[in-house]
Amino acid sequence: MFDMNRLHPLRHFSAATTMTRGSTVHAQEIGFTDLNKQGENGKTVFARAKRGQFFQTEPHLENQYLGDAPLRAYLKRNVPKKVLEQFAPDLERFGHRCATDIHQLGRECELNPPSVQHFDAWGNRVDDLITCSAWKSMHDIAAEEGLISIAYERKYGPWSRLYQIAKLYLYIPSSGLYSCPLAMTDGAAQTIDRIDKNTGHSLLHEKAFPRLISRDPQKFWTSGQWMTERKGGSDVAGGTETVAVPQEDGTFKLYGYKWFSSATDSNMTLALARIVDENKQTTPGSKGLSMFYMETRNEDGSLNGIDIQKLKNKLGTRQLPTAELLLDGSTAHLISEPGRGVAGISNMLTITRLHNATGAVSGMRRMVNLARDYSKRRTVFGKLICEHPLHMQTLARMEVETRAALFLVMEASRLLGLEECKMATEHDKLLLRIMTPLMKLYTAKQAMTIASEGLECFGGQGYIEDTGLPAMLRDAQVLPIWEGTTNVLSMDVLRAIAKTHGKVLQTLFKEIQEKVAIASKSSNVHIQNGCQATSQSVNKLAKFLEGEATRDSSLLEVGARDFAYSLARTYMASLLLEHAVWDEATELDAITVARWCEQDLCPVVTNHSRGHYDNKSVTMDTRLVMDGYTDKPLSKL
């Protein structure tokens, strides 16, 4: 019979001695005291284990620019040599800083979240928002490093935006979520920059805009984006109840409740509200929404008709002061045409969605790089983690996802730079229009997967708050929610197609096919297979759209998410192919193509063939979800 005692970890130990590899070792030498030793009071002293000599080694954070081969390769391939030589040294310097002092400040922001003091000692309502010194330092760093100004100075022409996004990509994982107010600041700057300077908005162009893009910490402003109300979500047309009452001096007083206001400590904000007409009525729907500019504080420093009701208690992004605000007569200025507020925020959404995607891919890169470094430091089962093939396979899959996401974000940045400098073709503009929601929705989902998988790479330490690693997962969870959920953005893709009468889709397919045509000249088997998989995906999508999807408009609505995923994966495959046939490409670039194209590039066609979008399947979806739900009768289901 098998002796279970053989499995006991202390089966060879005795009170006095133990044997190890033929040598006699006293118990005291391995961390145990003599159980029979008497204490001062004559009582037996129980055994005590020493701490031992082994401690886990934390991962090392390397220079964020030098440690990112795909980023440097993309910039080298796309940016003119003379231009890259001018800003690459700054990226290298900043990459080091993001791994050192900025990283430490970001950690301090996580450990010292904001709070609100509603009343002073005498009972006066003050609503003093308290943030830590590290958060304030991030404000100064953002200005000094030009994290907003680079894109608007346009020193490097169309490459300025790409330079800025590359720098933000290095910064965001170390930023302590200060990247959030910077995203909205960039969005506000973009919105103001595109407002005609001759329309009378001198306050915007002479006061606000110069501060939003300033490199002087004393002058630099951040901006909020106050759109969401109690009804919540992306349906601002149906959910906005804030009203704007005209004043004799041409300003407006805003009254309403803003349910989410990230970066509550901002200097200004852009907000949506409904103008009250002479009959004290407002226009419902999107046609009744207008955009307003308001400063958060008055000249004397007091809040501009704003009551901070509470700070949100969130799963993640705890560093970020997100509040519920009551606007009670806040002075504001109309900056859109009346009833054109939704159109006014479109430029802002392009920027903030790009920032969201940049945050997603930068978080992925940070997690992969930390796990990579840890694999060279942690020993398990007698060898380093990096010597275990299964673990390296896992990391390789994470790396492929990260590279594909990186190229997607960088390509969108490149196109935006061209568009901002009025150098974009109609093809470029249409491509950017459909890329923006695809990029945001897909990278956000990738970021969640990589963050979760990454924590496993650290074992139990990945679950310990003191390491800072769990915060990466918590903070990643907001990415699919900010700036439109996955389903909302999937519907936005369909709207983009409808509004352009299919031109954005034709442009995307043409772009993919052109990249495949160039890559197909390669003799590399991995690239050839990648070209075949990508071409097949485009053909499947085209056939799907020309078939039942044309005859049944509801089909695409049900399959909108799978359709968006199919477009994103197929386009990302073409970007990887384009990079893999670059003159300085390596074998790893071809391998990346092969690994990416092993997945189902066209899930919308696969799931359509399985009947997932027909009426019977939709009915079954509802029945499955509602099975056992007793609140309402299910007789109609």
Side-chain angles (χ1 to χ4, degrees), residues 29-211:
E29 294 176 9
I30 61 169
F32 285 82
T33 58
D34 189 343
L35 292 178
N36 296 319
K37 183 178 178 181
Q38 299 294 309
E40 293 180 1
N41 57 4
K43 295 182 179 180
T44 300
V45 178
F46 290 96
R48 293 178 301 166
K50 293 182 180 179
R51 297 181 65 193
Q53 298 179 352
F54 173 76
F55 294 93
Q56 293 192 35
T57 304
E58 65 180 299
H60 174 68
L61 197 59
E62 61 189 332
N63 184 306
Q64 296 300 277
Y65 180 68
L66 295 180
D68 197 328
L71 171 64
R72 289 185 286 110
Y74 178 89
L75 294 175
K76 187 176 182 180
R77 175 167 63 88
N78 287 278
V79 181
K81 183 178 180 181
K82 290 184 178 179
V83 176
L84 185 58
E85 287 176 346
Q86 294 180 62
F87 65 71
D90 181 57
L91 292 177
E92 181 176 342
R93 175 199 60 81
F94 191 61
H96 172 73
R97 193 177 183 193
C98 289
T100 51
D101 65 307
I102 293 178
H103 176 67
Q104 292 301 319
L105 289 170
R107 184 64 179 145
E108 288 180 34
C109 291
E110 170 73 19
L111 297 175
N112 299 281
S115 61
V116 176
Q117 179 186 348
H118 290 292
F119 300 93
D120 65 14
W122 306 100
N124 299 305
R125 181 83 185 237
V126 292
D127 283 355
D128 185 17
L129 179 59
I130 301 168
T131 56
C132 67
S133 60
W135 182 261
K136 296 178 175 65
S137 294
M138 287 295 188
H139 170 276
D140 296 351
I141 289 170
E144 294 164 352
E145 292 287 354
L147 295 180
I148 301 300
S149 64
I150 288 172
Y152 297 91
E153 293 167 347
R154 299 191 178 128
K155 179 179 178 181
Y156 305 104
W159 309 110
S160 297
R161 178 62 75 175
L162 184 59
Y163 169 27
Q164 179 222 25
I165 293 299
K167 197 164 185 177
L168 283 167
Y169 167 78
L170 301 175
Y171 169 75
I172 290 174
S174 297
S175 71
L177 261 295
Y178 203 80
S179 53
C180 177
L182 293 185
M184 291 180 287
T185 299
D186 200 350
Q190 177 82 193
T191 301
I192 295 172
D193 193 36
R194 300 201 179 205
I195 293 176
D196 189 347
K197 294 181 175 60
N198 299 318
T199 58
H201 297 295
S202 59
L203 189 65
L204 291 178
H205 296 292
E206 296 174 12
K207 183 180 182 181
F209 185 71
R211 289 178 176 273

Side-chain angles (χ1 to χ4, degrees), residues 455-472:
L455 292 194
E456 284 192 56
C457 295
F458 298 92
Q461 291 299 95
Y463 203 68
I464 301 300
E465 286 288 352
D466 295 350
T467 66
L469 294 169
M472 298 177 70

